[in-house]
Amino acid sequence: MTDLLEHVVAKDPALSVVGTSDDANLAAEARRTRADVLVVAQKAPDERDSLASLLHSRPRMKVVTIVASGESGALYELRPHRTAIAEITTQSLSEAIRDPPGPRRRPRQRRARRPGKTIAAV
């Protein structure tokens, strides 16, 4: 996995690796490195489906999981959003409950502490 990550970072100057670890404690690694993205190796595709507490503790961080074979992975991120309902009617309420619209992404402002995205591989 680190070979793949090094290749990706070498091609994109806005990315930098701030740490690597074999530690299974993702929360500790996230605090230690203060990375924007954790790239996590996993043995099976659904091995790390319980990342909610980590994402809630660091809501702007993303977690990318990569299966050990390198064939597949997943992106986890906490994306809270709010959609206004202009007028509450039985139809608008039913539509909001039944088929809520997807989140709309706003351009994110860069934080002043570091340029680009930082990555920690765990």
Side-chain angles (χ1 to χ4, degrees):
M1 177 181 76
T2 55
D3 291 341
L4 174 65
L5 190 56
E6 288 172 4
H7 184 70
V8 169
V9 170
K11 287 188 166 232
D12 191 339
L15 302 177
S16 62
V17 176
V18 293
T20 59
S21 173
D22 292 331
D23 189 357
N25 187 338
L26 300 180
E29 288 304 309
R31 279 190 306 275
R32 181 182 71 79
T33 61
R34 296 179 50 191
D36 299 305
V37 181
L38 283 182
V39 178
V40 180
Q42 61 182 22
K43 293 180 179 130
D46 296 328
E47 180 185 14
R48 296 203 189 250
D49 277 345
S50 60
L51 296 168
S53 63
L54 175 63
L55 292 171
H56 282 284
S57 70
R58 298 190 48 98
R60 292 187 176 166
M61 184 181 68
K62 294 181 182 183
V63 177
V64 176
T65 59
I66 300 175
V67 177
S69 64
E71 296 174 5
S72 64
L75 168 66
Y76 295 84
E77 61 184 323
L78 190 61
R79 293 176 45 186
H81 65 279
R82 175 180 173 261
T83 303
I85 303 172
E87 182 181 349
I88 297 294
T89 64
T90 55
Q91 182 178 349
S92 68
L93 187 55
S94 175
E95 288 172 1
I97 293 169
R98 184 175 26 84
D99 189 27
R104 293 180 178 88
R105 291 191 138 197
R106 293 183 185 165
R108 290 174 56 178
Q109 295 180 355
R110 295 255 184 222
R111 287 180 263 164
R113 68 179 175 96
R114 289 185 278 215
K117 290 288 182 188
T118 56
I119 303 165
V122 181

